[in-house]
């Protein structure tokens, strides 16, 4: 039986926690040039600018708290048999983990991790990071945030495509559907036979690809949807 639920989340799920989205009015990409702060070329040009951008986002993240939508997804995972839920996020915050979700797949990396651009070593990021912080493994002054930039390959893709192939239900929450490969997950899951559902404030760019779409704030839509799923799962 295809009973696996694969959930994809984006910046919209953290909006009610006070973390900015990217493309909404006043969003990060309306205030910053993506090419300057979210590409390897931008980092090579001005590492201090890029660290400043991610240090500010890390501070926001550490000051934020999970909201009702994060909590509902953790409740769903805890209530269902192990392995029934796979939670893939484009978000680099840790609000899913702090709400209690266990196996979170961060396809765009994590704000709270540092990466040595020289040797590939990863470690827990300090609150403030600088490019000349030495790598704890090789000593190189090549520290970068462990996040995926435009032009880089997202993390865990083989595992994610494997999950999409066996999903019975694919649910996309709080994402505009404008960045690939995540934007194509709905098509990948549907092609493999999954039902597809979008929960978003506004219809996303890919809304017509979904079997069903509901509009509203994640803090309301997600707990209501989780109640529905758990109601159905009860004998
Ligand atoms: P976007 O900013 O592109 O889209 C956020 C979506 O969330 C929009 O469709 C909003 O309508 C919706 N939204 C806003 N508030 C909401 C709320 N309270 N409840 C529900 N939905 C809400 O963010 P993402 O789709 O996550 O990548 O962006 C994808 C990727 O683009 C990010 O991971 C990041 C960015 O560039 C990289 O930096 C590599």
């Amino acid at each position: 039986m295809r009973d696996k639920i694969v959930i994809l989340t984006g910046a919209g799920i953290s909006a009610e926690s006070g973390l900015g989205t990217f493309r909404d009015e006043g969003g990060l990409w309306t205030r910053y040039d993506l090419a300057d702060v979210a590409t390897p070329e931008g980092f090579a040009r001005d590492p201090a600018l890029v660290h400043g951008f991610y240090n500010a986002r890390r501070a926001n993240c550490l000051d934020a708290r999970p909201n009702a939508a994060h909590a509902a997804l953790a409740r769903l995972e805890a209530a269902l048999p192990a392995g029934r839920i796979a939670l893939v996020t484009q978000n680099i915050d840790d609000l899913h983990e702090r709400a209690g979700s266990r196996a979170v797949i961060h396809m765009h990396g994590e704000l709270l991790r540092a990466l040595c651009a020289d040797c590939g070593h990863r470690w827990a990021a300090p609150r403030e990071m600088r490019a000349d912080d030495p790598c704890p493994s090789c000593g190189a002054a090549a520290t970068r945030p462990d996040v995926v930039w435009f032009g880089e390959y997202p993390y865990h893709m083989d595992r994610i495509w494997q999950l999409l192939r066996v999903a019975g239900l694919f649910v996309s929450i709080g994402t505009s559907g404008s960045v690939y490969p995540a934007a194509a997950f709905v098509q990948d899951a549907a092609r493999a036979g999954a039902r597809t559902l979008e929960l978003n404030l506004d219809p996303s760019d890919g809304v017509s690809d979904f079997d069903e779409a509901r509009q509203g704030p994640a803090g309301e839509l997600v707990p209501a949807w989780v109640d529905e799923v758990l109601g159905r799962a009860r004998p």
Side-chain angles (χ1 to χ4, degrees), residues 11 15 18-32 53 57 60:
L19 300 184
T21 60
F22 296 96
R23 295 173 182 79
D24 294 311
E25 205 183 321
L28 285 165
W29 295 157
T30 68
R31 291 181 285 129
Y32 294 89
F53 175 75
R57 301 199 54 213
N60 289 345

Side-chain angles (χ1 to χ4, degrees), residues 95-185:
L95 296 180
H96 283 306
E97 285 90 341
R98 279 196 268 147
S101 288
R102 283 184 298 266
V104 186
I105 301 173
H106 281 275
M107 63 178 291
H108 289 166
E110 296 176 66
L111 266 176
L112 301 186
R113 304 287 296 167
L115 169 66
C116 174
D118 239 35
C119 75
H121 180 69
R122 291 183 160 84
W123 66 100
R127 193 175 173 110
E128 289 273 316
M129 217 193 277
R130 290 162 38 133
D132 56 4
D133 288 341
C135 167
S137 177
C138 73
T143 293
R144 57 168 282 181
D146 189 9
V147 299
V148 175
W149 287 324
F150 288 89
E152 296 183 323
Y153 200 68
Y155 296 160
H156 313 298
M157 287 312 304
D158 286 346
R159 195 164 147 223
I160 294 169
W161 275 315
Q162 170 59 28
L163 288 164
L164 292 169
R165 275 196 289 276
V166 298
L169 174 63
F170 171 75
V171 188
S172 174
I173 304 172
T175 174
S176 60
S178 46
V179 175
Y180 287 83
F185 289 173

